[in-house]
Amino acid sequence: MPPRWRKDLERILITERQLARRVRALSRAIERDFAGREMVVVSLLNGTVMFLADLIRRLSLPLRLDFIGVSSYGAGAASGELVFTKELRLSVRGRDVLLVDDILDTGKTLARVRAKLQALGPRRLRTCVLLNKGARRVEKIEADYVGFEIPDFFVVGYGLDFAERYRNLPFVGVLRPQVYHRAGPDLDGVGGKPPAGLAESQCPSPRRLRPGPVSSA
Ligand code: IMP
Ligand code: MG
């Protein structure tokens, strides 16, 4: 791990190389399933930024891209309430849609956004997430394409943030509990509270991390 991040991160959970390889595999599966028709990729802001960029540049398919903004944790998430900060602009009626998010945790975000898209009458709606924290699921929802199954740790990097920080790390790392415990009221959007439901147990070695299933649509 670059020395710069050692005081904030416990360890690297998923390396750049593992991410690249897995994203390529996901792209291939999506390409197979969506071949033949123009697709609409709908991505959730802001955590998908790196995953999305790497995923879609590997898709040799005609596609249109749009974003939905949802504020995912902080005061809103605890009550199960989500705030939409950007609405969809493209029409998805009769379209083949791929909804992309960074991480599936309690499932509230994806369930809510998926229902919203489903109501717009797409021909087909599939979901894709980079990470899946199955242990914390509250909603009955699984993604169709999953990059990695991860244990219940709060992770940052490769687009994922804590209080809007660490998104720029090229790998996925486990945040040290001290970081969110010492987070003061100056920390934007967090107000000194740790993210909900954080585990502080030991992290498995990246070698033992198994890629999640890639289902065929
Ligand atoms: P859910 O609604 O509980 O499934 O939460 C999904 C959202 O919570 C994601 O889109 C992330 O923005 C955020 N989130 C959940 N777990 C983590 C994490 O470990 N690191 C960073 N963000 C997370
Ligand atoms: Mg987020």
Side-chain angles (χ1 to χ4, degrees):
M1 175 186 334
R4 170 63 186 85
W5 303 113
R6 265 180 218 145
K7 76 171 177 22
D8 292 8
L9 302 184
E10 221 159 78
R11 64 185 300 156
I12 293 178
L13 185 64
I14 311 172
T15 65
E16 280 189 74
R17 183 199 277 266
Q18 287 173 308
L19 286 165
R21 188 178 306 142
R22 187 63 185 153
V23 171
R24 275 200 300 277
L26 287 177
S27 298
R28 278 196 297 272
I30 292 166
E31 219 172 67
R32 270 198 310 274
D33 297 346
F34 282 81
R37 285 169 60 94
E38 186 185 63
M39 67 190 293
V40 179
V41 175
V42 176
S43 200
L44 291 185
L45 297 170
N46 300 331
T48 56
V49 54
M50 286 205 203
F51 175 44
L52 178 78
D54 289 344
L55 186 77
I56 64 173
R57 86 180 75 191
R58 295 263 166 199
L59 291 178
S60 302
L61 291 176
L63 64 82
R64 294 187 302 157
L65 178 63
D66 201 356
F67 295 92
I68 292 181
V70 199
S71 140
S72 55
Y73 67 83
S79 59
E81 255 179 60
L82 295 174
V83 183
F84 285 87
T85 56
K86 188 206 170 288
E87 297 286 343
L88 193 70
R89 300 199 55 196
L90 291 179
S91 167
V92 296
R93 180 165 300 283
R95 299 287 176 173
D96 289 10
V97 178
L98 182 70
L99 174 59
V100 180
D101 200 5
D102 53 0
I103 181 167
L104 185 51
D105 186 20
T106 66
K108 286 178 184 171
T109 307
L110 202 65
R112 175 84 187 279
V113 176
R114 190 179 65 174
K116 196 176 155 93
L117 282 178
Q118 195 65 64
L120 297 172
R123 191 180 84 113
R124 191 150 72 120
L125 178 57
R126 295 287 181 267
T127 51
C128 174
V129 296
L130 175 69
L131 306 176
N132 182 35
K133 257 194 233 176
R136 287 183 21 96
R137 193 77 83 255
V138 171
E139 297 288 327
K140 208 165 170 281
I141 185 169
E142 293 303 329
D144 298 299
Y145 306 93
V146 176
F148 299 87
E149 304 285 345
I150 65 163
D152 187 8
F153 302 118
F154 195 81
V155 292
V156 294
Y158 198 61
L160 289 110
D161 73 305
F162 171 61
E164 298 305 326
R165 298 190 174 101
Y166 309 104
R167 291 199 199 273
N168 57 313
L169 309 190
F171 50 81
V172 173
V174 178
L175 195 64
R176 287 189 194 279
Q178 303 93 280
V179 176
Y180 45 80
H181 286 147
R182 71 160 179 256
D186 62 313
L187 207 51
D188 308 336
V190 171
K193 282 212 215 83
L198 292 170
E200 297 181 18
S201 36
Q202 241 346 84
C203 188
S205 101
R207 271 195 320 282
R208 282 192 279 130
L209 198 67
R210 291 266 174 276
V214 179
S215 80
S216 57

